[in-house]
Amino acid sequence: MSKSTPEATSLAAEVLAKYQPVIGLEVHVQLLTRTKIFCGCATRFGDPPNTNVCPVCLGLPGTLPVLNKRAVEMAMRASLALNCTVHEHSRFARKNYFYPDLPKGYQISQYELPLATSGWLEVEVSGVKKRIGITRLHLEEDAAKNLHEGFSQSATKAYVDYNRCGTPLSEIVSEPDMRTPEEAYAYLTTLRQILLYTGVSDCNMEEGSLRCDANVSVRPRGSKEFGTKVEVKNLNSFRYLQKALEYEIERHISVLESGGRLSQETRLWNQAEGHTVSMRSKEKAHDYRYFPEPDLLPVHVSAAWRDEVLRTLPELPEAKRSRFVSSYGLSKDEATVLTDTQQYADFFEAVLRNGADPKQTAAWMQRLSYLAEQTVEAVKIVADRFGNVAANHFAEMIGLVANGKITAMNARTVLAEMYETGKSPADIIAARGFEQISDTSRIEQAAREIIAKEPANVAKFKAGNEGVFKFFVGQVMKATRGQANPQAVNDILRKLLAQAN
Ligand code: ADP
Ligand code: ZN
Ligand code: MG
């Protein structure tokens, strides 16, 4: 088969339906430690190139690695949250290859004896739950970053930034258990959520702290054997993962349908062109001449250490979701939104501790999120979701609406000001004169004046035009600066319009 990329095909649905895709993901996450895995250099992102380096991470002769205990602990947290068996003994190995971003000429990784194996996580796609197996989770060091663009001589030179070299990573390998691009997408988002909850990684795809390679093959439906797989790299967003898989599945099927054979290879996703291109034929494990790392002792995880790490795990997203449904009477959708991040869920429960009603809090938190979306850059929403709003102020505001002290409409304005300034709702309401008017005589007076001014509309209403009623409500609300109790306005207008002639 030629290496050229077949044109994007549009196969008939019956043809696509003859095949079943098989997908397995390999995910690399940067562990949230302050220092690198085998030396004391900082792992901070964005520092000037080659400022966080030392003889160890530059691979100078005569230096020795020292394992960062915190990195092992982070990888243990991830393993336990993913239902893996953490092994008492694991071992580092050297994976040998040459590249300028790898100054030692080998990467220290775990191979035959990884830290953890045989876990799973549960995904949900279109209401159907499914377990995806996790083959292994191991520790390794990251390589440096080759820079090809973004500097003055980039036409003729390539630079290497060794700051990233030696950053602790965990590689998490899934079983080939996924059958659709949607399942792969769900796996990656679920995995990310668990890693964020457990504080293992910040999972920032733009900064490279979460990277995903996708393995994909297709087989005739009903067949027991797997087809030839291709590994797709360069998937630096969740959307790209799904798009690349969709593309690759169609490509495999069209190759097979036209009587061709697939070759096992590594391909790159090209987002601009919307297709994958062949990068190299797949390397084999023996090409790397793995052998045990002689400079490091085997990793020993005692049962006591493992149990201690297990005890410090937070309530995980799935458990929190179920608890929110059963203890607060929320719908599954509400619970899913509220448990999106640990911080969001914590804020919700803090508001409830201040006496607010769960359903009303869920609804108002949604409004708060919209506000955040309009106010801050999309990428900062998660961090800035509550702006300056304190949980007790938020509960107070929800109570004021529930008790009819302010209208829901004015409450939105109050909320926006709380978001900006952190002031209490009581102060904002007093300063803006937002107390709701429930005094019926004031509402009645406004309604009478408007009815008197609008004989034509009164006539329309009398003739059965119900739409005009909304016009009258709007006019009364306007005359009372949005402060009138909407139910009272309705009742009074009904009464007065019935009397009008
Ligand atoms: P390799 O030796 O090529 O690295 P592995 O067996 O280690 O292959 O698997 C790497 C990844 O590929 C795993 O996530 C696994 O689930 C997935 N995988 C293995 N075989 C297939 C296949 N036939 N189709 C799709 N994915 C596969
Ligand atoms: Zn260093
Ligand atoms: Mg492998």
Side-chain angles (χ1 to χ4, degrees):
M1 234 214 72
S2 89
K3 280 207 165 173
S4 71
T5 307
E7 286 306 303
T9 50
S10 42
L11 295 168
E14 314 87 81
V15 178
L16 290 174
K18 287 199 299 189
Y19 294 89
Q20 179 180 54
V22 171
I23 301 163
L25 300 184
E26 293 170 282
V27 174
H28 285 88
V29 285
Q30 179 175 332
L31 303 171
L32 264 182
T33 58
R34 281 190 305 108
T35 57
K36 294 185 181 180
I37 186 166
F38 300 123
C39 63
C41 294
T43 51
R44 240 184 344 265
F45 181 84
D47 278 1
N50 299 312
T51 52
N52 298 324
V53 293
C54 74
V56 174
C57 55
L58 288 175
L60 300 190
T63 57
L64 289 172
V66 178
L67 179 59
N68 181 341
K69 185 178 174 192
R70 188 85 186 131
V72 182
E73 213 167 85
M74 285 296 176
M76 281 164 69
R77 285 175 78 76
S79 305
L80 294 168
L82 295 169
N83 309 293
C84 292
T85 303
V86 174
H87 298 291
E88 198 178 332
H89 293 284
S90 62
R91 192 167 67 191
F92 283 99
R94 291 186 178 182
K95 181 181 183 181
N96 299 278
Y97 64 97
F98 170 77
Y99 213 57
D101 63 6
L102 193 70
K104 295 194 299 297
Y106 57 86
Q107 177 194 27
I108 303 179
S109 179
Q110 293 189 309
Y111 181 57
E112 283 164 319
L113 299 176
L115 179 75
T117 56
S118 332
W120 52 267
L121 61 71
E122 191 174 73
V123 297
E124 188 172 327
V125 176
S126 317
V128 181
K129 288 188 175 176
K130 178 174 171 178
R131 264 191 195 190
I132 310 292
I134 289 170
T135 317
R136 56 186 277 147
L137 185 152
H138 73 238
L139 276 160
E140 62 185 32
E141 59 177 343
D142 204 353
K145 192 176 166 61
N146 293 331
L147 303 164
H148 301 286
E149 47 197 32
F151 52 94
S152 53
Q153 309 105 308
S154 47
T156 54
K157 290 191 165 74
Y159 284 178
V160 189
D161 176 4
Y162 287 96
N163 282 355
R164 209 172 71 185
C165 198
T167 295
L169 300 180
S170 264
E171 176 171 347
I172 303 167
V173 182
S174 87
E175 289 290 305
D177 284 350
M178 289 156 271
R179 296 290 174 266
T180 61
E182 291 74 26
E183 282 182 9
Y185 181 92
Y187 171 85
L188 194 59
T189 49
T190 305
L191 177 62
R192 178 173 183 268
Q193 196 181 33
I194 292 171
L195 295 171
L196 285 171
Y197 260 69
T198 47
V200 166
S201 174
D202 63 19
C203 295
N204 187 330
M205 272 190 147
E206 288 87 45
E207 294 181 2
S209 30
L210 179 78
R211 285 170 256 161
C212 173
D213 301 331
N215 296 270
V216 55
S217 62
V218 303
R219 60 180 171 185
R221 261 177 216 283
S223 155
K224 291 267 179 298
E225 270 153 48
F226 287 155
T228 303
K229 81 171 156 72
V230 158
E231 183 175 344
V232 187
K233 291 189 176 285
N234 202 27
L235 303 170
N236 39 31
S237 90
F238 289 80
R239 214 165 42 84
Y240 296 178
L241 166 67
Q242 202 168 336
K243 285 234 176 294
L245 285 172
E246 281 162 8
Y247 174 86
E248 210 38 37
I249 289 163
E250 282 219 19
R251 191 182 69 83
H252 285 214
I253 295 173
S254 55
V255 168
L256 297 176
E257 281 289 301
S258 59
R261 290 182 54 187
L262 287 148
S263 51
Q264 188 165 337
E265 59 179 351
T266 302
R267 298 178 71 91
L268 277 185
W269 171 246
N270 181 327
Q271 173 60 22
E273 310 260 319
H275 61 62
T276 60
V277 283
S278 181
M279 182 168 115
R280 57 173 187 242
S281 67
K282 174 74 185 165
E283 68 286 354
K284 295 266 172 25
H286 64 246
D287 297 332
Y288 290 119
R289 292 164 43 248
Y290 278 101
F291 63 86
E293 166 60 66
D295 289 343
L296 286 163
L297 288 168
V299 181
H300 179 243
V301 176
S302 68
W305 189 19
R306 191 198 53 217
D307 292 348
E308 190 191 316
V309 172
L310 192 58
R311 266 199 306 278
T312 65
L313 286 186
E315 182 179 34
L316 294 174
E318 178 58 36
K320 208 184 270 295
R321 237 181 334 265
S322 317
R323 183 169 64 79
F324 276 22
V325 169
S326 58
S327 31
Y328 301 130
L330 299 174
S331 71
K332 205 168 130 196
D333 284 348
E334 285 169 326
T336 301
V337 171
L338 290 168
T339 55
D340 183 23
T341 67
Q342 173 112 48
Q343 294 86 326
Y344 204 54
D346 286 350
F347 185 82
F348 173 73
E349 293 200 288
V351 175
L352 297 196
R353 278 196 299 277
N354 280 280
D357 168 77
K359 279 277 189 192
Q360 285 167 8
T361 305
W364 278 102
M365 278 183 70
Q366 195 113 35
R367 280 168 213 144
L368 188 58
S369 279
Y370 290 142
L371 203 64
E373 272 167 44
Q374 287 159 8
T375 316
V376 294
E377 289 169 60
V379 287
K380 293 192 186 143
I381 287 177
V382 174
D384 261 354
R385 231 164 185 170
F386 326 113
N388 297 302
V389 181
N392 62 329
H393 287 165
F394 198 66
E396 186 186 329
M397 189 213 65
I398 293 168
L400 290 170
V401 181
N403 299 329
K405 293 285 193 296
I406 51 170
T407 61
M409 203 175 76
N410 282 338
R412 286 170 195 244
T413 311
V414 172
L415 185 58
E417 193 168 332
M418 288 163 67
Y419 186 90
E420 287 293 324
T421 65
K423 284 187 195 154
S424 80
D427 287 350
I428 298 167
I429 289 165
R432 289 187 178 245
F434 269 170
E435 287 91 351
Q436 180 162 289
I437 303 169
S438 294
D439 171 0
T440 48
S441 65
R442 272 182 68 192
I443 299 172
E444 235 184 273
Q445 191 194 338
R448 279 186 199 286
E449 282 167 17
I450 286 152
I451 289 171
K453 269 195 293 193
E454 299 284 345
N457 280 317
V458 172
K460 274 192 208 160
F461 177 75
K462 292 272 177 191
N465 184 343
E466 197 36 47
V468 182
F469 188 71
K470 279 213 190 88
F471 162 81
F472 282 110
V473 173
Q475 291 297 307
V476 175
M477 290 309 274
K478 203 170 142 193
T480 54
R481 294 173 53 227
Q483 285 161 252
N485 178 318
Q487 192 53 51
V489 173
N490 260 278
D491 295 347
I492 288 166
L493 274 171
R494 287 271 171 220
K495 186 185 77 182
L496 294 180
L497 282 168
Q499 293 165 2
N501 41 44

